[in-house]
C-alpha cells in the first residue's frame, strides 16, 4: 500500500472503533421495564417515588409540646412540622386553639378536623392572668371559727348548691371534687365566656369531674353580650365560641348584606352549624 491508502485505512479503523465505543457506552433502552418496582419516565426506566402516604390519626394534642412524630401522625406535612418547631424555638406560644389556624399551609378542612383535639395547657397562659384572677374575683369575708387556723376546706353536702356565676375560687373549692386547679379553671372559663348560661358549659373544661356538676346552679344568667354588628374580626374571634373562620363569615356577611338581625342569617354558612348558633345565641346583641 502506498502512504495515502494506509492513512485512509487507519482513519476508517479509528472511526469504527469510536462507533463501537459509543454504542457500548450509551446502550439501548430495554424493550420491557425491569422488575422490582420500576416504571418508565421520559423514555428511561427509573424507580417509582414513594407514593403511599402515612394514614392520618386524630388524638388529643398540645401544639406547644407535641413532638414531630405526633404531628406527623396527625397528618401534617414535614415542612409544617419544621415551621412549628421554628415558631416554638423563637419563643412562640399557642395560647388558644385559633392560634394553630395560623400555621402556614394548613387548610380549612385540616383545621376543622384537628380543632376538637387541640388541648392548650393552662401553663401556657400569660402569667398576668393569675394576677387578674386574684384581683377580679369577688372576696368573701373571713370568718374565724377557731383561734387555731386550719387549711382544711369545708365541703358542701348533698343537696346544697353553689351559684356558678357568683362563686369565687374559695367558694368553688367547697364543692366535692373541686380543688384549686378546677376552681381557677371555672373562674377563668366563665370570664372567657362572659358568664355561664348552662351548667353543662363546665364540660368545656378539660376532664371536668362530672360528679361535681350537680352542686352548681345558674341563677338569673346575665352574660356579657357581643355587639355582633360593631366588632372587628379580631374582636369577634376572642370569644371561645367563635373561631377565625366563623368571625370571617360574620364580617363577610355584614360587608355583603348589611347588619345581622339574627344568627339564623348565618345558617347557610358552612362555618356555622345549628349547634354553633344555639350555643352562641345568649351572647349576641344586635
Amino acid at each position: 500500500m502506498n502512504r495515502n491508502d494506509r492513512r485512509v485505512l487507519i482513519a476508517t479503523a479509528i472511526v469504527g472503533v469510536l462507533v463501537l465505543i459509543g454504542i457500548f457506552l450509551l446502550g439501548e433502552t430495554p424493550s420491557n421495564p425491569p422488575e422490582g418496582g420500576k416504571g418508565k419516565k421520559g423514555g428511561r426506566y427509573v424507580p417509582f417515588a414513594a407514593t403511599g402516604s402515612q394514614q392520618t390519626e386524630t388524638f388529643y394534642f398540645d401544639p406547644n409540646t407535641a413532638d414531630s412524630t405526633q404531628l406527623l401522625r396527625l397528618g401534617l406535612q414535614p415542612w409544617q412540622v419544621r415551621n412549628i418547631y421554628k415558631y416554638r424555638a423563637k419563643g412562640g406560644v399557642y395560647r388558644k386553639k385559633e392560634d394553630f389556624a395560623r400555621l402556614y399551609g394548613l387548610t380549612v378542612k385540616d383545621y376543622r378536623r384537628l380543632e376538637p383535639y387541640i388541648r392548650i395547657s393552662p401553663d401556657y397562659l400569660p402569667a398576668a392572668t393569675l394576677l387578674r384572677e386574684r384581683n377580679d374575683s369577688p372576696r368573701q369575708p373571713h370568718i374565724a371559727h377557731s383561734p387555731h387556723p386550719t387549711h382544711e376546706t369545708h365541703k358542701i353536702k348533698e343537696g346544697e348548691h353553689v351559684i356558678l356565676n357568683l362563686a369565687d375560687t374559695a367558694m368553688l373549692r367547697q364543692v366535692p371534687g373541686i380543688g384549686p386547679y378546677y376552681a381557677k379553671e371555672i373562674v377563668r372559663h366563665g370570664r372567657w365566656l362572659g358568664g355561664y348560661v348552662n351548667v353543662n358549659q363546665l364540660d368545656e373544661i378539660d376532664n371536668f369531674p362530672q360528679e361535681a356538676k350537680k352542686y352548681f346552679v345558674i341563677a338569673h344568667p346575665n352574660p356579657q353580650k357581643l355587639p355582633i354588628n360593631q366588632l372587628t374580626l379580631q374582636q369577634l374571634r376572642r370569644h371561645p365560641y367563635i373561631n377565625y373562620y366563623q368571625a370571617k363569615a360574620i364580617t363577610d356577611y355584614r360587608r355583603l348584606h348589611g347588619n345581622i338581625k339574627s344568627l339564623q342569617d348565618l345558617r347557610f354558612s358552612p362555618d356555622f352549624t345549628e349547634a354553633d348558633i344555639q350555643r352562641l345565641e345568649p351572647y349576641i346583641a344586635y
Side-chain angles (χ1 to χ4, degrees):
M1 289 184 172
N2 58 33
R3 182 179 296 176
N4 290 334
D5 291 338
R6 287 198 300 269
R7 288 178 178 175
V8 171
L9 182 60
I10 292 171
T12 303
I14 293 173
V15 171
V17 170
L18 291 176
V19 170
L20 291 174
I21 293 174
I23 293 174
F24 177 78
L25 292 178
L26 295 177
E28 295 182 359
T29 301
S31 58
N32 293 317
E35 297 180 357
K38 295 185 178 181
K40 189 174 182 180
K41 180 179 179 180
R44 297 178 59 194
Y45 286 88
V46 296
F48 281 135
T51 56
S53 58
Q54 181 179 355
Q55 185 176 2
T56 59
E57 304 176 39
T58 48
F59 49 85
Y60 293 117
F61 72 101
D62 187 338
N64 292 301
T65 57
D67 60 28
S68 58
T69 301
Q70 293 172 317
L71 295 171
L72 291 172
R73 286 169 55 202
L74 289 165
L76 297 179
Q77 298 298 319
W79 56 269
Q80 291 177 311
V81 175
R82 287 194 294 271
N83 286 341
I84 293 174
Y85 269 72
K86 290 178 182 178
Y87 177 73
R88 298 191 314 206
K90 292 179 181 179
V93 174
Y94 299 97
R95 303 189 186 281
K96 53 185 182 295
K97 293 183 178 182
E98 290 78 8
D99 290 344
F100 193 68
R102 299 175 182 174
L103 178 63
Y104 181 76
L106 188 67
T107 64
V108 173
K109 179 180 178 181
D110 285 337
Y111 176 73
R112 287 175 176 163
R113 176 175 61 85
L114 296 174
E115 182 186 18
Y117 299 94
I118 299 175
R119 294 290 184 268
I120 306 295
S121 169
D123 294 339
Y124 292 96
L125 292 174
T129 58
L130 298 176
L131 299 177
R132 289 200 296 269
E133 280 187 6
R134 189 173 300 170
N135 294 331
D136 296 346
S137 298
R139 302 286 181 177
Q140 293 293 320
H142 174 70
I143 301 176
H145 296 284
S146 168
H148 304 288
T150 177
H151 295 289
E152 295 182 0
T153 301
H154 169 72
K155 295 293 186 179
I156 63 177
K157 299 177 181 179
E158 188 85 22
E160 296 181 327
H161 297 91
V162 169
I163 299 177
L164 188 54
N165 286 315
L166 300 181
D168 65 357
T169 55
M171 186 178 296
L172 290 169
R173 288 199 299 270
Q174 297 180 22
V175 175
I178 302 298
Y181 170 78
Y182 281 114
K184 289 191 294 185
E185 285 297 290
I186 291 171
V187 173
R188 181 191 65 83
H189 193 62
R191 186 179 298 116
W192 196 18
L193 285 168
Y196 291 97
V197 296
N198 192 304
V199 171
N200 289 328
Q201 288 175 293
L202 293 172
D203 292 333
E204 297 164 7
I205 300 173
D206 288 346
N207 302 315
F208 189 83
Q210 295 297 302
E211 65 276 7
K213 287 169 56 178
K214 62 184 178 182
Y215 294 98
F216 293 104
V217 294
I218 302 290
H220 310 294
N222 186 27
Q224 183 177 354
K225 302 282 188 177
L226 300 175
I228 194 171
N229 290 310
Q230 283 77 46
L231 297 181
T232 65
L233 184 148
Q234 294 299 329
Q235 291 171 328
L236 286 166
R237 62 178 298 206
R238 291 174 187 167
H239 196 276
Y241 289 170
I242 303 178
N243 61 37
Y244 171 83
Y245 302 103
Q246 291 171 332
K248 191 173 187 305
I250 292 171
T251 55
D252 287 346
Y253 183 95
R254 294 188 328 219
R255 176 172 53 84
L256 296 173
H257 305 288
N259 285 346
I260 296 173
K261 299 179 177 59
S262 168
L263 283 185
Q264 292 300 319
D265 294 342
L266 303 171
R267 67 186 183 277
F268 296 116
S269 169
D271 297 295
F272 282 92
T273 66
E274 188 61 33
D276 292 333
I277 291 174
Q278 289 180 3
R279 71 172 184 170
L280 185 59
E281 184 66 51
Y283 297 96
I284 297 300
Y286 302 100

